[in-house]
Amino acid sequence: QKLDLDAVEIASRNGFWLKHQALLQEEARKNGDSSVKDVRQTLHFQLVEQVAGKEKTDLIMKEIGLDADSANNNDAIATAVHDTPSRMVKLPGTQLRLSATSTPEAEHTNGDSPQQDSHPTPRNIVVVGGGIMGASVAMQLARLTATAEAGTNSIGNVRKTTITVVDLAPTTQDHATVGRPTRAWLHASGKTTKHYQRMNQWGLQSWKEDPALRKLPSWTGSLARFATPNDDQTDADGSSAGPLPAFLTDGGYAVEGPLTKERLRELKPIADWNMSGQQEVSATDETDVYYFADEGTVDPDAAARTCRDEAESLGVVFLKNCDATGLVWSDRIEGVQCGPYDRVLPADVVVVAGDAAGALGDLPQDGLPVVGYLSNADGSGNSGVYSLVNHSGVTLGPLLGSMAAVEILRNVQLDVLKKYRPSRFGK
């Protein structure tokens, strides 16, 4: 018997929360945290049963891996959590907890009970690229290794991990310059798909929560023009305005507009919103301008330097004037070849970050991030080369850096990154 549409809806939404607390308790148990105790959601379960009926509820609970007869029993829920490959992991620097799946390489060292983070950590990680993306992932990797070595957050059979960042900046310049204007736009508006918009919203939240970065942005909001469907204007090719973008109409993101000219003057008193060729509008007429209150700007060079400074304080080595000219391979990655003297840095994981992809690979043509391990040349296995490439590098820098660090050091795959894997390009 299959679930019908309404039961699928209940299973995907209520089922997540029915299981969420159990996943949190399981993670806390493995980390020695006894503060999360009660996973029972008796009233929640009773509500689902009252709305859906017992027969359908049984199917729903089966779908999410819990036994309906003992759904409010701690032992039964803990067993269900053990039987699923997914678990919740917390990202460093934020309060975000995301579902993750253990990779095939993860080792189980306690009989039939999988142990979180029981795999050996890499000995040598080389990050190619010292901009905001590279400096961010270096900082997050260092945070995780530091807490593991201090015994406050187990990430596996802890070994000393050396993290090195290869930077193209010459020795006479500072590290971590991104070659962009003084301020970079932090935003989630303008994203073409809902999942990518949501990813950028999490990126904004990461900037607001990260202890090293949260004081750097200016959250002044932003204004942007979007031609409305009833506009009399036409584009340069003679075509009229199309439908409004989904991020203006679908909800889930704070937006005000279209704004009146009076409201525009309140937000930006000195701006001239009568662009050349446009008809003058009165103070109460609507314009084609929208206000995004949750957005802001940041100095990307200052942010990259901040990430670098914390990373260096935690033992990360930044090499200036070191151009990555190639990768050294055997069955998988063994090192990074660096100029000007063809020095080889040993590595069992290489992170190709941000603009560095231009030297060692292709930038994504679909406008979406490429995050995760590349496969070997024959299409099999994990090559040890981790791609961390994205066009919205500043907005997503801290978030993707923490995601990559978790995947590399905890040997998991975050479910939310499925749409952004290199495998979509056959890599």
Side-chain angles (χ1 to χ4, degrees):
Q1 189 175 3
K2 295 183 178 180
L3 293 176
D4 52 22
L5 186 59
D6 59 338
V8 170
E9 176 75 6
I10 294 174
S12 63
R13 295 182 183 275
N14 296 76
F16 171 81
W17 294 111
L18 283 168
K19 205 166 185 178
H20 177 70
Q21 184 70 11
L23 290 168
L24 290 182
Q25 189 196 40
E26 182 68 4
E27 179 190 10
R29 183 189 67 79
K30 291 172 180 175
N31 287 329
D33 182 1
S34 60
S35 62
V36 183
K37 295 180 179 179
D38 188 8
V39 301
R40 290 174 293 183
Q41 297 195 37
T42 306
L43 292 178
H44 190 172
F45 173 74
Q46 290 175 353
L47 176 63
V48 172
E49 190 172 53
Q50 183 176 346
V51 171
K54 188 177 187 314
E55 181 179 359
K56 191 172 293 185
T57 300
D58 289 345
L59 288 172
I60 292 170
M61 302 308 288
K62 181 179 179 181
E63 179 76 10
I64 65 173
L66 295 179
D67 176 23
D69 292 333
S70 54
N72 59 356
N73 178 277
N74 288 357
D75 293 335
I77 296 178
T79 299
V81 172
H82 270 307
D83 290 341
T84 180
S86 295
R87 55 186 172 85
M88 304 298 291
V89 294
K90 183 181 180 300
L91 300 185
T94 79
Q95 296 303 311
L96 277 174
R97 292 177 181 267
L98 301 175
S99 63
T101 304
S102 296
T103 61
E105 292 83 2
E107 298 173 2
H108 295 165
T109 60
N110 188 22
D112 296 330
S113 178
Q115 293 297 301
Q116 176 175 326
D117 310 321
S118 60
H119 66 288
T121 55
R123 289 188 183 277
N124 297 291
I125 300 174
V126 175
V127 179
V128 181
I132 181 63
M133 196 72 78
S136 172
V137 70
M139 176 180 71
Q140 305 294 7
L141 286 166
R143 284 174 172 175
L144 283 180
T145 54
T147 54
E149 291 165 5
T152 57
N153 182 24
S154 172
I155 62 167
N157 299 330
V158 177
R159 303 183 295 177
K160 181 65 176 177
T161 300
T162 299
I163 304 168
T164 306
V165 180
V166 176
D167 194 353
L168 294 177
T171 53
T172 55
Q173 294 182 6
D174 195 4
H175 288 292
T177 57
V178 297
R180 291 185 178 144
T182 327
R183 306 293 294 182
W185 185 18
L186 301 176
H187 68 108
S189 59
K191 306 307 176 185
T192 55
T193 61
K194 200 67 177 178
H195 60 82
Y196 190 42
Q197 176 190 316
R198 188 179 301 113
M199 179 73 73
N200 280 268
Q201 288 178 258
W202 288 345
L204 297 178
Q205 193 62 32
S206 294
W207 279 100
K208 295 174 181 177
E209 292 182 355
D210 191 284
L213 301 174
R214 61 191 176 198
K215 293 183 179 180
L216 298 180
S218 298
W219 299 108
T220 56
S222 64
L223 296 167
R225 287 180 177 272
F226 297 98
T228 55
N230 58 356
D231 265 343
D232 293 331
Q233 305 171 44
T234 58
D235 296 332
D237 61 1
S239 61
S240 59
L244 286 172
F247 59 85
L248 292 177
T249 58
D250 286 355
Y253 191 54
V255 56
E256 178 187 350
L259 303 176
T260 64
K261 192 171 183 180
E262 183 178 37
R263 175 63 173 144
L264 275 175
R265 285 174 175 161
E266 291 177 6
L267 294 169
K268 295 288 183 182
I270 63 174
D272 178 11
W273 294 98
N274 288 309
M275 296 180 68
S276 176
Q278 288 191 317
Q279 183 179 356
E280 177 75 27
V281 294
S282 68
T284 57
D285 284 340
E286 288 186 348
T287 67
D288 55 0
V289 181
Y290 292 76
Y291 175 57
F292 299 92
D294 292 338
E295 299 182 347
T297 62
V298 71
D299 180 339
D301 290 342
R305 284 193 298 271
T306 299
C307 292
R308 180 207 66 196
D309 290 345
E310 179 170 331
E312 286 185 320
S313 73
L314 294 172
V316 176
V317 176
F318 283 73
L319 297 179
K320 294 183 178 182
N321 197 26
C322 191
D323 186 7
T325 57
L327 303 176
V328 180
W329 298 84
S330 179
D331 293 334
R332 54 175 283 135
I333 194 67
E334 290 188 349
V336 177
Q337 192 171 22
C338 300
Y341 307 111
D342 289 333
R343 173 186 179 186
V344 175
L345 299 175
D348 41 15
V349 171
V350 174
V351 182
V352 181
D355 294 339
L360 298 177
D362 297 324
L363 291 171
Q365 298 300 310
D366 59 4
L368 299 177
V370 182
V371 185
Y373 283 107
L374 301 176
S375 59
N376 291 308
D378 61 1
S380 65
N382 171 353
S383 68
V385 178
Y386 192 99
S387 172
L388 190 60
V389 181
N390 179 54
H391 290 288
S392 296
V394 179
T395 298
L396 290 178
L399 176 69
L400 290 183
S402 62
M403 288 180 168
V406 164
E407 290 203 322
I408 292 168
L409 291 177
R410 294 193 170 184
N411 209 17
V412 298
Q413 292 181 338
L414 295 173
D415 297 339
V416 73
L417 291 176
K418 286 180 179 178
K419 294 180 180 293
Y420 309 112
R421 298 301 186 193
S423 57
R424 73 182 191 269
F425 301 117
K427 297 182 179 180

